[in-house]
Amino acid sequence: MRTKIDIPERWEQVKIADFSDFVKGMPEGFLLVHQTAAVLWGTWDGKKESWASDRFDEKKIREMRAFCLTEERFAWKEGKEWKARRIVQCADGEFLKAFDEDMFLWGTDSKPGTPGFLEWSEGVQGIHQALPQLGERLPRLKVRQFLSQDPQTFEWRIVAHRLVNLIPGEK
């Protein structure tokens, strides 16, 4: 897989008027925001975002991700400044060793939530989250891990990762 890590001078500062500016020009995909006291999932249709909850508050954002099959955008706040990076798959990119893995998300029971989302709960843990509805089973998160080999020890390590997709859960 050819994947290019697009990081001008390693990091680029991002000014964000609103979350829509962050995802402008990105194909449809998924959104994940870490706020001061909440983690919110959303979807992006290429023009506007939809959130699983009305608790979205731009002033409380600490980290945010927008991702689809071909790229991930990630921004986080350091003090009052935004830092950002983007990893994008492209034909002329540098070939990097990588592997994909499916991450299991919390949830055993679901109920309808905001249109397009299901609210999942994990009874024993008391965890609740609302995820985009991709069927009746709990979706999994596909993550791509990028590897680098130390030239002295020849050991491989994960040097970067990106969220790739939410995939429907299996029976």
Side-chain angles (χ1 to χ4, degrees), residues 128-139:
H128 299 270
Q129 64 180 336
L131 296 164
Q133 185 172 1
L134 303 175
E136 297 302 316
R137 301 225 178 252
L138 182 67

Side-chain angles (χ1 to χ4, degrees), residues 5 10 96-97 145-149 157-161:
I5 299 178
R10 190 109 182 115
L96 298 173
K97 298 276 186 194
Q145 309 284 6
F146 296 97
L147 304 170
S148 177
Q149 189 175 33
R157 63 186 177 103
I158 295 172
V159 293
H161 69 269

Side-chain angles (χ1 to χ4, degrees), residues 30-157:
F30 299 101
L31 309 170
L32 179 59
V33 170
H34 292 252
Q35 295 186 160
T36 305
V39 175
L40 301 175
W41 284 92
T43 57
W44 172 252
D45 69 4
K47 295 179 183 170
K48 72 178 188 84
E49 69 265 16
S50 298
W51 295 101
S53 168
D54 59 1
R55 294 174 40 192
F56 179 76
D57 183 348
E58 289 185 45
K59 295 177 188 131
K60 295 180 180 179
I61 295 175
R62 296 292 167 242
E63 291 183 2
M64 54 189 168
R65 294 178 186 264
F67 62 97
C68 63
L69 291 174
T70 57
E71 72 176 276
E72 181 201 45
R73 298 175 187 191
F74 175 49
W76 65 98
K77 213 168 200 177
E78 286 186 11
K80 294 185 179 190
E81 288 188 51
W82 284 100
K83 303 287 183 175
R85 71 112 167 97
R86 185 180 124 180
I87 299 176
V88 60
Q89 181 178 320
C90 57
D92 62 346
E94 177 185 349
F95 181 78
L96 298 173
K97 298 276 186 194
F99 67 92
D100 288 351
E101 64 182 328
D102 293 349
M103 301 290 185
F104 292 95
L105 301 171
W106 287 98
T108 53
D109 301 305
S110 68
K111 65 180 183 179
T114 304
F117 296 86
L118 283 177
E119 291 184 20
W120 290 90
S121 62
E122 180 79 33
V124 176
Q125 300 294 325
I127 296 172
H128 299 270
Q129 64 180 336
L131 296 164
Q133 185 172 1
L134 303 175
E136 297 302 316
R137 301 225 178 252
L138 182 67
R140 290 170 296 161
L141 181 61
K142 184 171 289 297
V143 179
R144 179 159 300 140
Q145 309 284 6
F146 296 97
L147 304 170
S148 177
Q149 189 175 33
D150 185 299
Q152 294 178 351
T153 65
F154 302 104
E155 293 178 334
W156 289 92
R157 63 186 177 103

